[in-house]
Amino acid sequence: MKIKLNNMIAGGLLCTLPGMLAPCGAAENQRPNVLFLIIDDLNDWLSVLDRDNPIRMPNLERLARQGALFTHAYCPSPVCNPSRASVMTGLRPHKTGVYGNKTDWRGALPEALTIQQYFMRSGYYSAGAGKVFHHHWDGAFHDDASFDDFQPMPKTYPDSPLPEKKLNGLEWYGSRNTDWGAWPAREQDAVDYKTASYGVGFLEKKHERPFILSIGIFRPHMPLFAPQAWFDQYKQHDVVMPRIKPDDWNDLPSGAAKLLKPNRWFWKGMEKALGQNPRAWQDMVMAYQACASFADAQIGRVLDALDRSRYKSNTIIVLWSDNGFHLGEKQHIEKFALWEKSTHVPLIFAAPGWIKAGTVIDRPVDLTAIYPTLIELCGLKPKNDLDGQSLAPLFANPDAEFPPALTTYLRGNHAIRSGPWRYIHYADGTEELYNHTTDADEWNNLAGDPKYESTINRLRAFVPKNNAEAAANMKKPASVVNTEYQPK
Ligand SMILES: [Ca+2]
């Protein structure tokens, strides 16, 4: 792999890793900046991962062309809070007990240094906006210690259901969490527009110190609201729908049913809604696609600002989504599962002059690799208590050996992604095995077939033996009223 040396590292003291150059020991003001881009609930149905996929993401495609695209990246946990806590602390859920969306991650890990804190202690200025840590209960899960400056998210939904939803007469739409539609009227009023604008404004200013800028885009998280222009990109009559096998649940073990039981409210609600409005599912899928493309456009505004800025050639970019999202696949909507749709996410690194533009890495990896990778890319002192390992060997050689991807949801439930295989081991000992070479939809559970015994034995060895007790949940702040539309 040929690496072009440019002004990003020309001023630093160089050290050579296999196939690459790193600014090791560079003085603080010569270190590269970090643009840390997070998208919420963005799944893998994206043009950046496969040109045939229906969700158009031109700005993610452009970023991938500038750096390294991981085609098989997986979240450490398929839900916001444990995934973000794990990525940002570099610690896996089964080590910390941070398993759920209500777990008080900072209370459980008072001493853990987040990526942002570690960079701050290394001389960086940390700025951020939007949804960086879990955003529930009006920012109760946010971490002030990780930022010198932060712009929180404004409200992400309208005050009441949109007029056309009232006309439909669907009671189910009364929950703002399951709502969708064209809103707000002006793009500038959308929450993610404001978050991206913070990033644009930051990049237009001169900064004396190297910085880590964290931009957390909220869409396509539910509720699925985006301005009308993004709906106009998708035509209702030919919206591409997910593939579903009617008897898909027949070969699932008890562990899957137990894990999913409390989390199928959305699919059940959709089944009910379809009785009243046969287009409800299509409408929802189209809204997800519109919101994802809107998120892409906001990422594009930040990338444009970086391209125009003085930081263009000395900023490392990493983009990731905290978890995937089912749009009906496996008779499920939302995340909360250990299947491909809940766990497969986009991951892109770009570092001008260092990572070869257009690198494609097919090895399965998980997002606990982000923390040690950024440390290595920026030449900071290694941190030895992180659970993941740096992706640097894969930038140099996309076929290099790398540990399988591990995803955990609630205590004792794990998924291993290795080569073409997904192996799931539930807390009750039951299992699933899928071969993605022949079954990308995960319709045929191969666990229990004696033909795959040696494969399962090999994959089972990667399942953690010790699972931390669940850490305590956060107490809901008294100021938080409810999550439904306020009655008029
Ligand atoms: Ca999420």
Side-chain angles (χ1 to χ4, degrees):
M1 177 179 161
K2 197 159 178 250
I3 306 288
K4 190 175 105 239
L5 179 65
N6 76 350
N7 60 356
M8 168 177 165
I9 49 179
L13 177 66
L14 304 177
C15 72
T16 306
L17 295 169
M20 49 197 283
L21 298 167
C24 296
E28 277 181 12
N29 60 2
Q30 294 169 324
R31 287 197 174 124
N33 307 299
V34 177
L35 177 57
F36 195 71
L37 301 170
I38 311 156
I39 308 183
D40 200 355
D41 282 16
L42 183 65
N43 71 15
D44 62 355
W45 218 17
L46 313 175
S47 59
V48 66
L49 288 168
D50 184 334
R51 276 167 186 257
D52 292 335
N53 283 341
I55 303 178
R56 291 187 280 277
M57 307 293 283
N59 290 293
L60 264 60
E61 289 181 54
R62 150 193 170 194
L63 183 59
R65 284 194 296 271
Q66 292 171 18
L69 169 70
F70 288 83
T71 62
H72 292 81
Y74 296 89
C75 54
S77 189
V79 55
C80 306
N81 185 49
S83 177
R84 287 164 189 258
S86 176
V87 172
M88 246 80 83
T89 62
L91 305 173
R92 292 191 181 281
H94 76 274
K95 301 270 189 78
T96 62
V98 178
Y99 293 124
N101 257 351
K102 291 182 181 166
T103 310
D104 182 359
W105 74 270
R106 186 42 106 185
L109 303 167
E111 304 298 327
L113 291 179
T114 64
I115 293 175
Q116 288 85 355
Q117 281 178 295
Y118 197 70
F119 274 69
M120 288 162 86
R121 291 192 179 197
S122 306
Y124 277 68
Y125 182 81
S126 172
K131 181 169 169 178
V132 178
F133 291 91
H134 183 40
H135 190 89
H136 194 43
W137 293 343
D138 296 341
F141 295 81
H142 178 68
D143 191 46
D144 276 336
S146 294
F147 300 95
D148 293 300
D149 188 60
F150 190 81
Q151 174 181 290
M153 286 203 298
K155 208 172 69 157
T156 61
Y157 54 93
D159 290 330
S160 55
L162 301 178
E164 61 267 29
K165 293 292 165 54
K166 284 183 182 162
L167 291 175
N168 282 337
L170 301 183
E171 283 177 28
W172 182 56
Y173 291 131
S175 167
R176 70 160 171 88
N177 286 331
T178 54
D179 206 353
W180 60 78
W183 179 87
R186 286 180 354 130
E187 177 184 322
Q188 299 91 311
D189 295 328
V191 52
D192 292 323
Y193 189 95
K194 293 176 181 176
T195 297
S197 293
Y198 177 93
V200 171
F202 184 89
L203 291 166
E204 286 171 348
K205 290 187 197 116
K206 187 163 191 299
H207 302 284
E208 298 303 325
R209 285 191 279 153
F211 59 78
I212 177 165
L213 172 62
S214 306
I215 297 295
I217 299 296
F218 183 64
R219 302 286 181 240
H221 193 287
M222 298 292 292
L224 297 170
F225 291 110
Q228 182 67 45
W230 276 269
F231 281 82
D232 293 343
Q233 292 189 21
Y234 297 94
K235 295 271 185 293
Q236 196 194 44
H237 62 266
D238 60 2
V239 61
V240 180
M241 294 299 290
R243 300 201 305 170
I244 289 190
K245 183 173 179 253
D247 60 352
D248 199 5
W249 274 59
N250 288 357
D251 61 359
L252 295 184
S254 58
K258 275 183 217 159
L259 194 67
L260 269 294
K261 202 177 171 188
N263 294 316
R264 295 195 79 211
W265 51 271
F266 203 145
W267 178 257
K268 296 286 174 200
M270 182 58 81
E271 286 179 329
K272 196 172 141 197
L274 285 170
Q276 297 167 288
N277 173 10
R279 290 215 59 94
W281 186 20
Q282 277 95 331
D283 288 351
M284 192 278 285
V285 169
M286 189 173 78
Y288 182 87
Q289 297 179 352
C291 284
S293 287
F294 174 68
D296 177 87
Q298 303 318 309
I299 292 291
R301 290 179 56 226
V302 180
L303 296 178
D304 286 344
L306 180 63
D307 280 348
R308 289 192 305 266
S309 78
R310 69 193 81 212
Y311 310 111
K312 177 181 162 72
S313 61
N314 68 336
T315 297
I316 289 163
I317 307 169
V318 54
L319 179 143
W320 54 285
S321 165
D322 62 349
N323 51 259
F325 199 85
H326 289 246
L327 291 164
E329 299 90 346
K330 298 198 81 66
Q331 281 104 336
H332 183 57
I333 298 175
E334 274 279 356
K335 50 255 189 175
F336 310 115
L338 287 168
W339 297 312
E340 188 81 357
K341 271 289 158 187
S342 274
T343 60
H344 190 202
V345 294
L347 171 65
I348 304 170
F349 272 87
W354 190 357
I355 298 172
K356 189 181 170 190
T359 300
V360 176
I361 297 166
D362 294 326
R363 278 257 185 257
V365 301
D366 68 58
L367 302 182
T368 58
I370 289 176
Y371 199 151
T373 304
L374 286 176
I375 285 178
E376 186 164 357
L377 287 172
C378 296
L380 307 191
K381 190 177 161 202
K383 194 169 188 302
N384 297 322
D385 59 350
L386 302 175
D387 287 334
Q389 70 182 56
S390 170
L391 297 164
L394 290 168
F395 297 143
N397 171 18
D399 295 322
E401 288 297 318
F402 205 79
L406 170 63
T407 303
T408 300
Y409 185 49
L410 302 183
R411 187 167 185 255
N413 305 287
H414 303 283
I416 306 292
R417 197 67 167 78
S418 172
W421 304 105
R422 168 175 302 281
Y423 169 70
I424 303 176
H425 187 97
Y426 292 103
D428 69 357
T430 57
E431 300 168 309
E432 291 171 48
L433 178 72
Y434 301 100
N435 182 350
H436 274 256
T437 306
T438 52
D439 182 20
D441 297 295
E442 299 186 334
W443 283 344
N444 302 304
N445 179 12
L446 304 171
D449 184 333
K451 241 186 347 191
Y452 299 99
E453 202 178 314
S454 63
T455 301
I456 286 187
N457 284 337
R458 182 177 66 79
L459 296 168
R460 200 184 275 138
F462 294 106
V463 174
K465 305 287 179 296
N466 300 311
N467 297 282
E469 289 293 330
N473 282 349
M474 189 180 283
K475 203 166 162 239
K476 186 176 174 180
S479 57
V480 176
V481 184
N482 64 38
T483 58
E484 302 303 296
Y485 287 123
Q486 300 293 331
K488 289 273 174 188

